[in-house]
């Protein structure tokens, strides 16, 4: 998917996860009592496979009570010290839509195209199981949740409510949406920073209602 001449490929706009990791790592000693190098040495001495980042994060949480962002930074550094190379953003996305989930890629592309139209200040970051979209804060995340479904996660600071139906005045109250639009939202759990999610099973479902919800999340996280 290519953008207009003034907009590079969406995924190429993103700052890499190195930026986030560097920010977390810089304050690690103050927050945990150990520097990043000390945590990497601890992982290496633990017997946990440093290339299994999920296992490292579980161990950090269970044995040392390390918070989530710090878990990711330490696990990333330990894996790289063991020879792992982080994929590019495009490689992360390609990896999510392979094999049994390859047919879901057009849905992701349709959501990414809708997000592209929100503004030039959107970046996309690489993750292993989902793709986050960030303005000042992360406002959307797209995950291939099942063989036949993509979940679009949205982060709302002020969740939308259905407009009165029929409305008592020409324009609905600010922050309200048509009942059918707001009704598509379900509470999100475990999908990045999303507060709500929308299941999507076809490109046709990335419609004007979804675009309205994307814009609302975008506007609330600027």
């Amino acid at each position: 998917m290519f953008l207009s001449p003034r907009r590079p490929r969406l995924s190429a706009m993103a700052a890499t996860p190195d930026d986030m990791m560097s920010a977390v790592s810089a304050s690690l000693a103050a927050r945990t009592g150990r520097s990043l190098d000390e945590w990497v040495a601890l992982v290496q001495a633990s017997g946990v496979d440093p290339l299994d980042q999920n296992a490292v994060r579980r161990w950090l949480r269970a044995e040392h009570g390390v918070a989530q962002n710090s878990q990711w930074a330490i696990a990333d550094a330990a894996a790289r010290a063991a020879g792992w190379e982080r994929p590019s953003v495009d490689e992360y996305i390609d990896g999510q839509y392979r094999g049994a989930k390859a047919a879901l890629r057009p849905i992701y592309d349709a959501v990414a195209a809708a997000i592209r139209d929100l503004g030039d200040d959107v970046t996309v970051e690489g993750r292993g199981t989902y793709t986050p979209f960030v303005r000042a804060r992360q406002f959307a995340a797209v995950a291939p949740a099942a063989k036949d479904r993509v979940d679009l996660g949205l982060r709302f600071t002020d969740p939308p409510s259905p407009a009165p139906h029929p409305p008592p005045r020409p324009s609905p109250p600010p922050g309200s949406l048509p009942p059918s639009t707001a009704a598509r939202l379900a509470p999100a759990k475990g999908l990045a920073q999303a507060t709500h999610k929308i299941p999507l099973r076809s490109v046709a479902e990335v419609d004007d209602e979804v675009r309205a919800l994307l814009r609302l999340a975008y506007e609330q996280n600027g």
Side-chain angles (χ1 to χ4, degrees):
M1 177 182 67
F2 292 91
L3 310 185
S4 63
R6 290 187 297 173
R7 294 181 183 178
R9 182 179 171 91
L10 180 60
S11 58
M13 294 170 59
T16 68
D18 285 329
D19 297 330
M20 181 187 74
M21 294 298 181
S22 296
V24 174
S25 300
S27 60
L28 199 60
R31 288 182 289 105
T32 68
R34 291 186 175 92
S35 69
L36 183 60
D37 287 343
E38 289 171 332
W39 277 112
V40 169
L42 202 62
V43 171
Q44 291 170 338
S46 70
V48 179
D49 180 0
L51 295 175
D52 186 344
Q53 295 189 48
N54 286 332
V56 172
R57 289 193 292 270
R58 288 194 298 268
W59 178 79
L60 289 167
R61 181 177 61 249
E63 297 297 324
H64 298 280
V66 176
Q68 185 178 42
N69 284 348
S70 298
Q71 291 171 26
W72 281 88
I74 295 165
D76 178 86
R80 288 205 273 180
W84 176 73
E85 295 184 6
R86 184 188 294 122
S88 68
V89 173
D90 282 333
E91 288 170 340
Y92 270 121
I93 295 169
D94 290 344
Q96 292 169 17
Y97 298 95
R98 287 180 180 151
K101 295 182 179 179
L104 299 175
R105 182 60 186 260
I107 302 176
Y108 167 83
D109 287 341
V111 174
I115 291 173
R116 170 199 66 192
D117 292 336
L118 294 172
D120 291 322
D121 56 349
V122 176
T123 61
V124 56
E125 299 176 351
R127 298 289 189 277
T129 58
Y130 68 95
T131 302
F133 294 86
V134 181
R135 196 181 181 197
R137 296 182 296 270
Q138 185 183 129
F139 68 92
V142 184
K147 293 180 181 179
D148 64 343
R149 189 183 87 243
V150 167
D151 281 348
L152 168 59
L154 298 170
R155 181 182 187 271
F156 294 112
T157 57
D158 183 16
S161 56
H165 184 71
R169 53 188 178 184
S171 298
S176 64
L177 293 167
S180 61
T181 303
R184 293 179 68 175
L185 293 170
K189 183 177 181 181
L191 178 52
Q193 298 178 24
T195 58
H196 297 75
K197 67 179 180 180
I198 306 171
L200 300 170
R201 291 182 169 82
S202 71
V203 171
E205 291 183 342
V206 187
D207 54 16
D208 288 345
E209 291 185 339
V210 167
R211 292 185 181 91
L213 290 164
L214 278 167
R215 178 161 293 281
L216 187 60
Y218 166 86
E219 291 172 349
Q220 290 186 10
N221 290 279

